[in-house]
Amino acid sequence: MAAAEDVVELTLDQENKCQINLHGATVTSWLCDGTEMLFVSQHAVFNNVKAIRGGIPIVFPHFGPWELGPQHGFARISRWSLEKSPTKDGDTIYATFLLQDNENTRKMWQDNRFKVFYTVIIGHRQLKLKLDIRNEGDDSFEFTTLLHTYFKTLDVNNVTVSGLKSLKYIDKVRQSKKFVEENDLVTAKEFVDRLYIGSVDRNEVTNLNGNKNVLITRTNLPDVVVWNPWQEKAKVMSDFGDEEYKEMICVEAGYVAKPRSVSPGARFEALAVLDVI
């Protein structure tokens, strides 16, 4: 379990709230009408070193294996600061978190100067996630970013993901070859690791925990990753239970198919809205 001082809670009421761990600014719980919507492994490590296995880790400044540093970048394993404490705004509550360059990131990532503001907003049956990435240096930089969302399921075999038909995708299970999605509904009934390129801005994920469905609406996050490790991969992850693959599916909004460049003094803004429908 995470230490209390590491966790920020946004509470509408006792059945609608979320928690964000300052390690990685990782959303680790989203309760909607009393139902937990996010999966966090029973074996997740909360040592402020390792990335948290579950919730919504932030991938930045690189998606996937990275020759300059850790896989998926340093954002998910960095300590973020609380820039704006939980604040009520109409029928919502929000907080903003900040990650900025330091000696370690500059040494790792080509001396780039940056600030990443991350705002989490909870409303009734809704979670909004805002990214604001700013170039504070004198040179342009390139990055990829993604919200690595782990949804909690009753049985992953019943889950479907819509909005991906006819899209090209990179299938990492099949030597990263490109294919075109032929199905109206994508399912996970085996090891799945796909990057869908340039998706439409909405995807519906059905039959999640509590038999709830979630509509994901994306702005400036054109790509979608669908991932489930299945049985064999689950067994080799020390921070993931052997049978937990049945209880989760990752449907991840990102800007990852190609790098995004940000000029000095400029910013990149993106938004993911998760609506329980």
Side-chain angles (χ1 to χ4, degrees), residues 117-128:
F117 293 91
Y118 181 51
T119 301
V120 179
I121 308 163
I122 187 170
H124 183 56
R125 301 176 70 85
Q126 183 182 80
L127 193 67
K128 289 184 178 181

Side-chain angles (χ1 to χ4, degrees), residues 164-183 193-198:
L164 302 173
K165 187 177 181 180
S166 301
L167 292 179
K168 291 181 180 178
Y169 66 91
I170 297 169
D171 193 335
K172 297 184 181 180
V173 177
R174 293 187 280 178
Q175 296 81 48
S176 292
K177 293 179 180 178
K178 282 189 177 180
F179 300 89
V180 175
E181 182 57 66
E182 298 178 350
N183 297 301
D193 191 356
R194 297 178 179 178
L195 165 56
Y196 290 88
I197 301 168

Side-chain angles (χ1 to χ4, degrees), residues 160-163 185 202-206 213-216 251 277:
T160 67
V161 185
S162 68
L185 300 176
R202 291 190 174 197
N203 306 93
E204 185 176 343
V205 189
T206 70
N213 303 333
V214 170
L215 178 66
I216 305 171
V251 183
I277 57 176

Side-chain angles (χ1 to χ4, degrees), residues 22-25 49 74-80 99 102 104-105:
L22 292 174
H23 181 63
V49 177
F74 48 68
R76 65 181 188 149
I77 56 172
S78 296
R79 181 81 172 189
W80 293 56
L99 177 68
N102 55 47
N104 184 48
T105 68

Side-chain angles (χ1 to χ4, degrees), residues 7-273:
V7 177
V8 176
E9 186 167 290
L10 306 180
T11 303
L12 285 177
D13 55 54
Q14 288 308 303
E15 293 198 335
N16 294 276
K17 55 187 176 180
C18 68
Q19 294 182 342
I20 305 97
N21 194 302
L22 292 174
H23 181 63
T26 306
V27 180
T28 53
S29 176
W30 172 28
L31 208 61
C32 176
D33 292 340
T35 299
E36 179 58 64
M37 301 305 300
L38 300 179
F39 166 87
V40 176
S41 174
Q42 294 295 316
H43 299 266
V45 178
F46 294 92
N47 63 358
N48 291 323
V49 177
K50 188 176 178 66
I52 297 169
R53 178 65 72 184
I56 311 178
I58 300 170
V59 172
F60 175 86
H62 188 84
F63 171 71
W66 190 28
E67 62 182 10
L68 300 180
Q71 173 158 310
H72 290 333
F74 48 68
R76 65 181 188 149
I77 56 172
S78 296
R79 181 81 172 189
W80 293 56
S81 61
L82 181 60
E83 178 73 7
K84 177 73 173 178
S85 297
T87 301
K88 186 172 176 57
D89 182 15
D91 295 330
T92 68
I93 296 176
Y94 73 93
T96 299
F97 304 85
L98 171 64
L99 177 68
Q100 57 187 335
D101 62 273
N102 55 47
E103 183 178 355
N104 184 48
T105 68
R106 291 191 293 272
K107 185 182 300 183
M108 188 185 310
W109 191 36
Q110 303 168 330
D111 203 36
N112 287 313
R113 312 295 171 115
F114 66 88
K115 288 182 178 178
V116 181
F117 293 91
Y118 181 51
T119 301
V120 179
I121 308 163
I122 187 170
H124 183 56
R125 301 176 70 85
Q126 183 182 80
L127 193 67
K128 289 184 178 181
L129 309 166
K130 291 183 178 181
L131 280 171
D132 179 358
I133 299 169
R134 304 182 186 183
N135 186 340
E136 301 286 315
D138 298 323
D139 300 303
S140 296
F141 61 67
E142 290 187 338
F143 69 90
T144 48
T145 189
L146 174 137
L147 299 171
H148 200 308
T149 307
Y150 289 73
F151 288 108
K152 186 174 179 64
T153 71
L154 291 173
D155 181 352
V156 71
N157 288 287
N158 297 327
V159 174
T160 67
V161 185
S162 68
L164 302 173
K165 187 177 181 180
S166 301
L167 292 179
K168 291 181 180 178
Y169 66 91
I170 297 169
D171 193 335
K172 297 184 181 180
V173 177
R174 293 187 280 178
Q175 296 81 48
S176 292
K177 293 179 180 178
K178 282 189 177 180
F179 300 89
V180 175
E181 182 57 66
E182 298 178 350
N183 297 301
D184 291 317
L185 300 176
V186 172
T187 59
K189 298 182 184 294
E190 59 185 346
F191 177 31
V192 176
D193 191 356
R194 297 178 179 178
L195 165 56
Y196 290 88
I197 301 168
S199 172
V200 295
D201 62 4
R202 291 190 174 197
N203 306 93
E204 185 176 343
V205 189
T206 70
N207 298 318
L208 296 172
N209 198 34
N211 292 312
K212 294 184 183 297
N213 303 333
V214 170
L215 178 66
I216 305 171
T217 306
R218 294 170 286 104
T219 302
N220 227 8
L221 296 169
D223 309 313
V224 174
V225 172
V226 178
W227 180 75
N228 182 291
W230 217 250
Q231 194 167 14
E232 294 307 312
K233 289 287 182 180
K235 288 180 178 178
V236 300
M237 292 190 290
S238 62
D239 59 350
F240 193 94
D242 290 356
E243 300 295 317
E244 285 186 323
Y245 69 92
K246 301 173 184 176
E247 303 170 25
M248 53 73 63
I249 189 167
C250 286
V251 183
E252 313 162 24
Y255 200 116
V256 292
K258 59 182 179 180
R260 173 65 185 250
S261 179
V262 179
S263 302
R267 68 207 294 185
F268 166 87
E269 295 179 278
L271 172 69
V273 181

